[in-house]
Amino acid sequence: MKISVYHTPEEVPTDSVPDCAIAIDVLRATTTIAAAFNAGAEAVQVFSDLDKLLSESESWPALSRIRAGERGGQKVEGFDLGNSPLDHSPEQTEGKRLFMSTTNGTRCLQRIQEVPIVLTAALTTRQAVVDYLLANQPKTTWLVGSGWEGEYSLEDTVCAGAIIQRGIEQANLELASTIGNDAALAAMSLYCQWQNRLDKLLHHASHGQRLLSKDNTADINYCAQLDILDIVPIQQSPGVLVWKQT
């Protein structure tokens, strides 16, 4: 199994396709997606365009849908929810489809949606994602960070590194045969340096600073938790994620 890391969707190669691609947006889309499934969401359907989201969600019964829109860290006016994992509870979300558009994470998912296996990952689901990879053994895997409007983000990279480090440790894999590019080794090194201070790292990260400027400490603290959900969202069809308990 060879794992490569790309810090943003813009870095993803256009001349090849891996066996598996994993979208990461720790702050906050992929963390929120996992939280929605944990609260009983029927599916999560992602959009980069808000108008398309509104149009396609019209065909879904109003009582069975949630429209979640976020731009610049804030809920979009007229939408039910923004992009916080703490928005989701069984009372709010169970049995409903989440129609979701965010600044970065949903754009990342659309960039990799043609890959045969598409997953999402967050720090909260790190162990579940590692277990999936070790059980299914895709020959090539890309961990793709969402970044922030095309720029690098610490939190996505440290999550990629957490996945790689845990996979190597758990399966006793050879470093040389597992690392697919320099970014993967750098990501693992970042995680090893900060693994006991993930909350501090997320507070220092530029997007963490944006959330702090809006007095949103709660989301950062939730997103910094490691291995709290046994959930691996997987793409069922382009743009539609599901999760089925085993």
Side-chain angles (χ1 to χ4, degrees):
M1 180 166 52
K2 189 76 78 172
I3 303 176
S4 299
V5 171
Y6 299 97
H7 298 303
T8 67
E10 289 76 12
E11 289 186 9
V12 171
T14 58
D15 59 351
S16 61
V17 176
D19 298 298
C20 176
I22 304 177
I24 303 171
D25 186 5
V26 171
L27 292 173
R28 292 164 292 170
T30 56
T31 307
T32 299
I33 287 168
F37 280 123
N38 190 53
E42 173 265 337
V44 178
Q45 191 164 347
V46 300
F47 300 83
S48 57
D49 182 81
L50 291 168
D51 290 334
K52 188 173 182 182
L53 183 159
L54 291 171
S55 175
E56 293 207 18
S57 64
E58 276 297 318
S59 63
W60 211 260
L63 293 178
S64 299
R65 74 182 182 218
I66 299 171
R67 291 166 166 170
E70 172 265 319
R71 290 293 184 269
Q74 296 293 309
K75 180 170 92 66
V76 177
E77 185 177 353
F79 281 68
D80 302 311
L81 299 176
N83 185 24
S84 171
L86 300 178
D87 284 340
H88 293 279
S89 65
E91 294 77 17
Q92 168 71 49
T93 305
E94 189 169 15
K96 297 179 183 178
R97 177 167 295 216
L98 182 63
F99 293 85
M100 184 179 190
S101 180
T102 70
T103 305
N104 303 295
T106 52
R107 183 172 55 86
C108 179
L109 275 163
Q110 291 206 322
R111 175 65 186 84
I112 61 174
Q113 68 181 9
E114 300 304 325
V115 174
I117 300 172
V118 175
L119 312 175
T120 69
L123 290 169
T124 57
T125 63
R126 186 272 304 258
Q127 184 64 58
V129 170
V130 169
D131 289 344
Y132 179 95
L133 291 176
L134 295 179
N136 291 275
Q137 291 289 321
K139 288 184 179 179
T140 53
T141 296
W142 293 352
L143 304 178
V144 185
S146 298
W148 176 265
E149 296 183 345
E151 296 185 359
Y152 172 91
S153 65
L154 279 170
E155 66 274 9
D156 294 346
T157 301
V158 82
C159 181
I163 292 168
I164 297 168
Q165 187 275 337
R166 182 60 179 149
I168 288 175
E169 176 186 68
Q170 185 170 324
N172 197 27
L173 301 174
E174 291 284 339
L175 185 66
S177 62
T178 305
I179 297 296
N181 62 0
D182 286 354
L185 183 58
M188 190 173 73
S189 300
L190 179 69
Y191 172 70
C192 289
Q193 181 177 354
W194 287 90
Q195 59 185 309
N196 297 318
R197 300 174 292 157
L198 291 173
D199 56 338
K200 298 290 187 186
L201 180 66
L202 266 62
H203 278 76
H204 286 307
S206 58
H207 192 38
Q209 289 291 308
R210 292 185 194 95
L211 293 173
L212 287 172
S213 72
K214 305 177 193 306
D215 298 319
N216 193 347
T217 304
D219 274 4
I220 299 174
N221 292 341
Y222 179 90
C223 294
Q225 296 178 99
L226 197 60
D227 303 336
I228 63 169
L229 298 178
D230 187 18
I231 287 172
V232 182
I234 186 167
Q235 183 174 260
Q236 182 182 64
S237 59
V240 179
L241 299 163
V242 297
W243 171 62
K244 291 186 171 46
Q245 285 183 285
T246 56

